[in-house]
Amino acid sequence: MRITEKAKNAALQTAIGQGLHYLEKDPETNIPKLMHLIDKLTPDDWYRAQRDAFRNVIESKNHWYDLILKVYDLDAGVRQTFFQNFIMNAALLGSATQEEVSEREDCNVPWAILLDPTSACNMHCIGCWAAEYGNRLNLTFDELDSIVTQGKALGTHMYIFTGGEPLVRKKDVIALCEKHSDCEFLSFTNGTLIDEAFCQDMLRVKNFVPAISLEGFAEANDSRRGEGTFEKVKAAMALLKSHKLPFGISTCYTSKNYNDICSEAFYDMIIEAGALFVWFFHYMPVGSGAVPELLPTPEQRAEVYHRIRNFRQSKPIFAMDFQNDGQYVGGCIAGGRR
């Protein structure tokens, strides 16, 4: 990393650190004053577009402002760890290291690394592509630890678990979070294995965030994921909310449920449940067990595309449209790009 970049990131880290500490005292009163503090501590030309966008959110007090306030309803330790690991380590300091390594090694260095701790799952959802791998493949804890250790050397501090069902390996997942306390871990999960003990583990390590699979209301969700799953997910969300823990939703939309998952009622339900973000993926038929009729039509995909973007203008939740948001991340985020 060039000395000027090191100095720039150190100065910005100090500014943001002071700003976040300032917010902890009284967020609703101090959020409007935040950009004034950041402006005092950093030169005018640093991250101008990002700062202007954040300033607009604060001044307009729109739905994004409401989302910021929701973050301040979280457990204080979890929130502070998220700010340190996600904003400081992953976004600022990590990105600077990634740029240095990328230039030196002439390769892409990913901002996030996706890994599957296991192919095992406690459910059997119709058309699930992960089932093609069987249910007996596992990375050992030492292998998981090695991946994260090597990733950190490249500047990567964000890790995303997929599967299988990652929480089949609860103990190893939590042990990994505990050992690498300077990283942020997100896990796609069916949510049915989240219980009181696991919530206590999340409160202890502070750097684990679940993205729970939910594919509409009870009828649409359970038709693919199994009877009673909708109620289990609702119970998991209620438990996480009661402990002031962050979580989001992961939804796979199909030709059968697309109208549910992009309805205002669905958005309002998951927001009320406490979700801070939602990932949208469209179903893709993969493998011998695929169900081609679940593939959404071009017209259905277009409808979902437009509805997601409309709700981005009004709902206090961060929505990501995996296949259709490539322009924001320079291509597929699973492809080793930024």
Side-chain angles (χ1 to χ4, degrees), residues 216-231:
F217 298 103
E219 183 179 355
N221 182 81
D222 291 2
S223 66
R224 194 166 93 87
R225 305 186 65 79
E227 186 176 353
T229 306
F230 179 78
E231 292 300 324

Side-chain angles (χ1 to χ4, degrees), residues 4 7 71 105 171 178 217 281 304:
T4 54
V71 172
E105 303 294 342
K171 290 183 179 179
E178 195 163 29
F217 298 103
F281 304 85
V304 174

Side-chain angles (χ1 to χ4, degrees), residues 98-216:
Q98 289 162 26
E99 289 175 6
E100 179 185 19
V101 174
S102 180
E103 184 176 338
R104 184 179 70 238
E105 303 294 342
D106 191 27
C107 68
N108 289 322
V109 177
W111 177 79
I113 290 177
L114 284 70
L115 61 160
D116 300 346
T118 181
S119 66
C121 185
N122 63 319
M123 292 175 61
H124 303 281
C125 302
I126 294 172
C128 177
W129 60 268
E132 288 296 306
Y133 296 109
N135 61 3
R136 299 180 183 277
L137 301 176
N138 289 282
L139 293 172
T140 66
F141 177 81
D142 287 344
E143 287 169 332
L144 293 168
D145 177 40
S146 176
I147 291 168
V148 178
T149 300
Q150 292 179 64
K152 288 198 296 184
L154 301 177
T156 303
H157 285 77
M158 183 73 201
Y159 295 85
I160 301 175
F161 298 126
T162 58
E165 168 51 53
L167 296 192
V168 169
R169 300 278 301 281
K170 279 183 182 181
K171 290 183 179 179
D172 283 340
V173 164
I174 288 296
L176 198 67
C177 293
E178 195 163 29
K179 181 169 184 180
H180 297 281
S181 59
D182 56 345
C183 294
E184 194 70 17
F185 295 88
L186 181 143
S187 178
F188 292 106
T189 172
N190 60 46
T192 63
L193 300 178
I194 294 174
D195 54 17
E196 173 65 28
F198 190 72
C199 286
Q200 293 301 322
D201 282 337
M202 286 178 62
L203 286 168
R204 178 168 54 81
V205 298
K206 300 178 175 61
N207 59 345
F208 179 87
V209 180
I212 302 173
S213 296
L214 186 63
E215 299 185 2

